[in-house]
Amino acid sequence: MLRKSLVTLLVVVMLAALVPASALAQDSVTIRFYNFSSDPDHVEDLQTIIDAFEAENPNITIEVSSAPFADYFTLLEADLVGGDAPDVFELNFESFVSYAANDVLLDLTPYVSGDAPYYPRALEAFQSDGAQYALPESFSTVLLFFNKDLFDQAGIDYPTAEWTWDDAMTAAQAIRALGDDVWGIYSPIQFWEFYKKAAQNNCAFFNADMTESTLNSPECVTALETMVSFVNEDVMPDQTELAGVANEELFLQGKLGMDVIGIWQFAAFADAPFAWDIQLEPGAAQKAHHFFANGVAVSADSEHPEEAAAWAQFLTSSEIAATVRIDAGWELPAIDVPEYVAAYLEQTPPDNREAVFEALESPVTPPVIERQTEMQDDLNQLLTAVEMGELDPQSALDTAKEQIDGLLQ
């Protein structure tokens, strides 16, 4: 009997030695997930999604860490450089190109289910050289919010989907006439607003092969002139006149007729003491709307690529994840399942919530290069100088072209 037990034990030991270490590790896997989008308002919502995933995958534990957006990428780069990358992490579209180009992302192509109902355009946004290096997690856009009470007081019609910026200027002037402390419109003069308004005016940031900036073309200069005209016509406060009051707060105070701002403000404006609604943003030669997107990537160095990819897909395309996002007023899931968003469309205000999805008919993504942060910072400094009257649009964009050409070398 003793001899038989010893033989059995020996067989077990030998079999264990033949099992790959990775297979043993699959008995209990911890996936480290690093993100910025849940910090600080959606921590509990993210945990609800994690609980659902872990219930379906009892061998996988999700370990979450987060950081505010302002610090997130600095900390992430430190982890990557230090060889301590999280298994799964969020990227915004603007940063995606740089990370994909530096070979730090796992090619998710073999792991993505063909049944995952992503918006095709959103899925394509996170591809590079034909490979899927991240999955689209959420999207948001920017629209024209307007104070209906101020429009009524000024005796003017509400914005329509066909408005141009000339129409917006006319309405802004009428609202500005209501009082010294009432402004017609606010539309920030910075990189993200400029690239969109540039697209509305057929302005291209680069030539076709991305070897040279074309940012000082007449179309681009006209787009910037339109942006700054609202300040020059005194219907939009500049940074000095805002005196530290955010444009969102000015809108909530009932002192701003129109605000060009993101749909993430719906919850913040829900209890505004006046009637408000949204409309597609005015256009120029054509319509163009932001397509801000966040994606979820897996580290190329992850020791558990299959489990990490499974979490990335669940977080970005499962029904529970989509439902939690919509119910919580988080950013919208980038999946094409109308029944998931039906409840979203029924919520008011705003009444014209369909405009959120109508904007997807004219999306424009930010221009991106590997030295993205430097490009944005350089251009923002020049745009601020234009807003403050220290540079004219043509001079600012001539300088921008020279700087960006240098970053492309």
Side-chain angles (χ1 to χ4, degrees), residues 154-374:
I156 53 179
D157 294 335
Y158 299 150
T160 71
E162 289 72 37
W163 262 26
T164 66
W165 287 109
D166 288 340
D167 297 314
M169 174 65 84
T170 300
Q173 290 170 332
I175 294 170
R176 181 73 171 110
L178 293 175
D180 292 340
D181 63 343
V182 177
W183 295 91
I185 191 170
Y186 189 81
S187 183
I189 300 176
Q190 32 89 318
F191 171 84
W192 294 275
E193 279 298 315
F194 177 60
Y195 91 75
K196 176 187 57 182
K197 291 185 173 66
Q200 291 170 358
N201 207 45
N202 292 325
C203 155
F205 264 52
F206 303 103
N207 61 359
D209 57 6
M210 294 287 291
T211 57
E212 180 183 2
S213 171
T214 54
L215 204 52
N216 60 343
S217 70
E219 293 83 1
C220 301
V221 173
T222 299
L224 183 51
E225 288 174 344
T226 298
M227 292 179 72
V228 77
S229 69
F230 290 96
V231 174
N232 294 339
E233 293 293 326
D234 196 36
V235 298
M236 170 178 147
D238 62 25
Q239 296 305 311
T240 301
E241 291 165 324
L242 277 172
V245 177
N247 55 297
E248 300 96 320
E249 183 62 25
L250 198 64
F251 188 80
L252 272 175
Q253 292 174 0
K255 297 179 179 178
L256 185 57
M258 294 171 280
D259 201 2
V260 179
I261 199 166
I263 60 174
W264 50 82
Q265 287 297 128
F266 285 173
F269 292 168
D271 297 324
F274 53 83
W276 62 276
D277 206 346
I278 59 171
Q279 186 49 271
L280 293 179
E281 186 171 323
Q286 62 181 349
K287 289 284 187 180
H289 289 85
H290 286 113
F291 181 72
F292 289 126
N294 292 331
V296 177
V298 173
S299 169
D301 295 328
S302 174
E303 295 181 357
H304 310 292
E306 186 174 348
E307 292 84 353
W311 163 240
Q313 180 162 317
F314 187 91
L315 177 63
T316 55
S317 66
S318 67
E319 180 176 357
I320 182 66
T323 302
V324 166
R325 285 185 175 281
I326 291 170
D327 289 349
W330 207 351
E331 292 177 328
L332 288 171
I335 54 178
D336 186 13
V337 185
E339 54 266 38
Y340 290 177
V341 300
Y344 176 81
L345 291 173
E346 292 173 356
Q347 299 172 27
T348 59
D351 293 330
N352 187 27
R353 200 170 278 246
E354 291 86 355
V356 173
F357 298 95
E358 292 171 1
L360 294 179
E361 297 174 8
S362 53
V364 56
T365 53
V368 291
I369 61 174
E370 288 192 35
R371 298 173 69 176
Q372 183 73 15
T373 301
E374 294 169 81

Side-chain angles (χ1 to χ4, degrees), residues 75-121:
L75 297 171
L76 176 60
E77 288 175 15
D79 287 343
L80 289 167
V81 171
D84 189 32
D87 296 283
V88 182
F89 48 90
E90 287 184 335
L91 293 174
N92 59 351
F93 174 78
E94 293 87 331
S95 300
F96 167 72
V97 171
S98 297
Y99 283 81
N102 284 284
D103 300 325
V104 297
L105 307 182
L106 179 72
D107 180 3
L108 294 172
T109 307
Y111 299 101
V112 181
S113 168
D115 297 329
Y118 299 109
Y119 279 114
R121 181 67 186 84

